[in-house]
Amino acid sequence: MNGPEILVSFDPALGTFVPQERRGGPTKAVTDGASTLGHVVESLGVPLTEVGALVVDGREVAAGHVPAQGETISVRAVSRPQPVPGAPLRFLLDVHLGTLARRLRLLGVDAAYESTDIGDPALAARSAAERRVLLSRDRGLLRRRELWAGAYVYSDRPDEQLRDVLGRFTPRLAPWTRCTACNGSLRTATKDEVADLLEGGTRGSYDVFAQCADCARVYWRGAHHDRLEAIVAGAVAEFGGPVSAQV
């Protein structure tokens, strides 16, 4: 590019996205004189989903601002907690975040999940159609223009991913109220109601059940309950939430 030269600095929280040489303070960048500031920021590596404010010479501007010669630009990270106006807070997760999706559902958070790779355009379109915050580690996906809202998941470890999302968006927690398989709502079920769906050992060992109103999957306090209980207890202790009836 051969156009206006600007100075750009990035919030340290955005260091994941920018080259090492741009992390220490303002650095020069040359624009083409026509591209928006949002386009320039993304061309330097930062998805706009991770940007909280763009400040030019001390004043906040929109992503559509076209940089002019000599401007000093500060790219700030999103605030935490991050408000999501315009719709009930709910999420859509891409194919690589299945464990995170199940843990969010365990906590009662509305988390749709694509278990197969339907492609970036379809994911972005679903985010827009259903007004869901798309969670992904794919930076290219988060740059798609049709996306309604999105967020980069910074870790590849499920425990850290969960804390990141809960800390960033502070969704209301209602543990044990969603189906971890399909995201539907759970209801209390009697043993007689679900008997045909149980193995003989389960029928003989357990008396308390819940069933998904959408996919009919049955839940009870099985062998993995203690591990799930620890996940729930840790999340509720750190991020708050009501004490719900357990399966």
Side-chain angles (χ1 to χ4, degrees):
M1 290 187 289
N2 186 20
E5 185 176 273
I6 59 177
L7 282 177
V8 185
S9 62
F10 293 93
D11 189 302
L14 299 173
T16 296
F17 305 102
V18 297
Q20 182 67 40
E21 60 269 21
R22 290 193 181 276
R23 297 178 189 175
T27 57
K28 293 180 181 179
V30 179
T31 76
D32 61 8
S35 295
T36 66
L37 181 54
H39 178 80
V40 172
V41 168
E42 290 196 321
S43 73
L44 295 175
V46 182
L48 290 183
T49 59
E50 306 311 296
V51 174
L54 297 167
V55 179
V56 176
D57 293 336
R59 75 185 196 283
E60 187 171 335
V61 301
H65 172 80
V66 177
Q69 174 67 32
E71 288 183 338
T72 298
I73 295 163
S74 175
V75 182
R76 298 177 180 171
V78 293
S79 59
R80 291 180 176 242
Q82 178 185 350
V84 181
L89 180 59
R90 50 188 187 171
F91 299 98
L92 171 63
L93 291 80
D94 72 16
V95 67
H96 304 292
L97 297 175
T99 299
L100 175 59
R102 289 188 290 273
R103 292 190 179 190
L104 288 170
R105 292 169 177 177
L106 176 67
L107 294 169
V109 177
D110 189 337
Y113 164 66
E114 292 290 349
S115 60
T116 58
D117 189 354
I118 64 173
D120 290 0
L123 275 172
R126 183 176 179 186
S127 165
E130 300 180 10
R131 299 176 77 80
R132 291 180 178 272
V133 179
L134 178 60
L135 302 179
S136 179
R137 286 179 50 77
D138 182 340
R139 304 177 192 190
L141 172 56
L142 294 175
R143 294 191 184 110
R144 297 196 67 90
R145 290 294 173 259
E146 63 270 39
L147 192 67
W148 178 69
Y152 183 74
V153 177
Y154 285 79
S155 176
D156 58 3
R157 298 169 59 88
D159 289 348
E160 294 172 0
Q161 290 175 346
L162 184 63
R163 292 189 70 253
D164 180 21
V165 173
L166 296 182
R168 177 167 174 171
F169 294 101
T170 60
R172 178 181 178 275
L173 305 186
W176 316 105
T177 61
R178 282 191 181 274
C179 176
T180 56
C182 81
N183 200 41
S185 298
L186 296 184
R187 65 172 185 84
T188 301
T190 66
K191 183 184 290 191
D192 288 343
E193 288 175 320
V194 299
D196 293 343
L197 300 174
L198 304 176
E199 299 290 339
T202 302
R203 284 196 302 271
S205 302
Y206 300 96
D207 296 308
V208 178
F209 298 92
Q211 186 174 32
C212 177
D214 292 347
C215 73
R217 179 167 176 160
V218 180
Y219 291 85
W220 61 93
R221 298 188 188 187
H224 301 297
H225 186 79
D226 288 348
R227 179 174 60 84
L228 300 179
E229 172 90 16
I231 293 172
V232 169
V236 169
E238 185 169 2
F239 300 102
V243 179
S244 302
Q246 297 183 17
V247 175

